Amino acid sequence: VSNALYLMDRAQIYDSSSPESLLMLGQKWQQKKNLAFLSADSARPEDARASAGRPVFEAVDENSRSVKVLGFSPVSLELITDLDRPRFLLWVDNYHTGWHVFIDGVPARLLRADHAFKGLWVPAGEHRVLFRFGTTGQYLWRYGVWLSFFFALAALVLLAFRERSGPSE
C-alpha cells in the first residue's frame, strides 16, 4: 500500500466524458495540487467541498501520524485515521463498483476520484476505515459453498471408511 494513499483538503466535480477534463486532470496531477477530482457520475454537489484550515496535500507512508494501515489484501484495506479536520482520502487503486467502504462499521459513500481511483471524505477524529471488495451476501455465498464442499467430502470419506471396515465375507 506504500505510496498509494493521499490525504487532500479539497474536491471538485468534473465531467469524465470530456477530453478537455482529462487534459486538465493531467496538468493538475503534475502540479500536485491539494485537490481531488470527483467524477460527475458518482459525486453529488455536496461532495465538491473544501475542508477548513490550511490546505495540505499529504502522501501517506509508514510514518504517517494521520493514517495507519492495519491490514491489506487484494480484496480489502483496513485503516485507522486520526484527522484534525475532515479530509479526502484518495486510494490510488482501480475504482470498481464492487468496492464498498465502511467508516466505524457504517457504510460510507465511495467516490470515483481522479478519473480512475477510489476516494471518500473521512470525518475528523479517530476512525476505522474498511475498504472491501464484494458484498456480505457474496462472502456468505462463497463460504457456504466451501463449507458444503467440505461437508460433502467428509461424508464421502466417512462412507468409504464404513465400506472398508464393514464385515468381510
Side-chain angles (χ1 to χ4, degrees):
V1 189
S2 180
N3 302 321
L5 296 169
Y6 297 91
L7 287 171
M8 300 173 183
D9 289 300
R10 299 179 299 149
Q12 175 182 323
I13 297 175
Y14 77 101
D15 178 11
S16 56
S17 64
S18 163
E20 294 82 22
S21 290
L22 293 178
L23 289 173
M24 181 262 312
L25 280 177
Q27 292 168 350
K28 297 294 182 183
W29 288 333
Q30 288 177 349
Q31 298 168 5
K32 294 192 177 182
K33 292 286 186 187
N34 179 23
L35 180 61
F37 293 95
L38 309 179
S39 176
D41 61 355
S42 70
R44 298 180 191 148
E46 63 268 19
D47 295 322
R49 58 183 169 176
S51 65
R54 192 181 103 246
V56 177
F57 173 85
E58 180 183 339
V60 176
D61 62 16
E62 61 274 358
N63 300 320
S64 175
R65 285 186 251 141
S66 304
V67 178
K68 298 284 183 208
V69 176
L70 297 179
F72 172 76
S73 78
V75 294
S76 68
L77 171 64
E78 188 170 9
L79 312 165
I80 290 283
T81 62
D82 189 8
L83 306 175
D84 59 345
R85 62 189 179 278
R87 306 282 305 269
F88 189 83
L89 177 67
L90 177 72
W91 182 12
V92 182
D93 185 57
N94 291 343
Y95 176 86
H96 186 279
T97 56
W99 281 97
H100 302 277
V101 66
F102 303 86
I103 298 176
D104 297 329
V106 178
R109 286 197 49 240
L110 185 64
L111 299 164
R112 191 173 104 194
D114 285 5
H115 190 65
F117 308 125
K118 299 183 266 295
L120 76 148
W121 280 100
V122 180
E126 188 171 312
H127 298 281
R128 185 176 293 257
V129 178
L130 172 66
F131 290 89
R132 186 175 71 196
F133 189 81
T135 63
T136 304
Q138 288 171 323
Y139 280 97
L140 290 175
W141 172 254
R142 184 178 303 134
Y143 290 120
V145 167
W146 276 108
L147 194 59
S148 299
F149 171 75
F150 286 118
F151 276 127
L153 184 62
L156 286 173
V157 168
L158 185 61
L159 284 173
F161 181 71
R162 282 189 180 173
E163 286 275 326
R164 286 184 146 194
S165 64
S168 58
E169 294 184 35

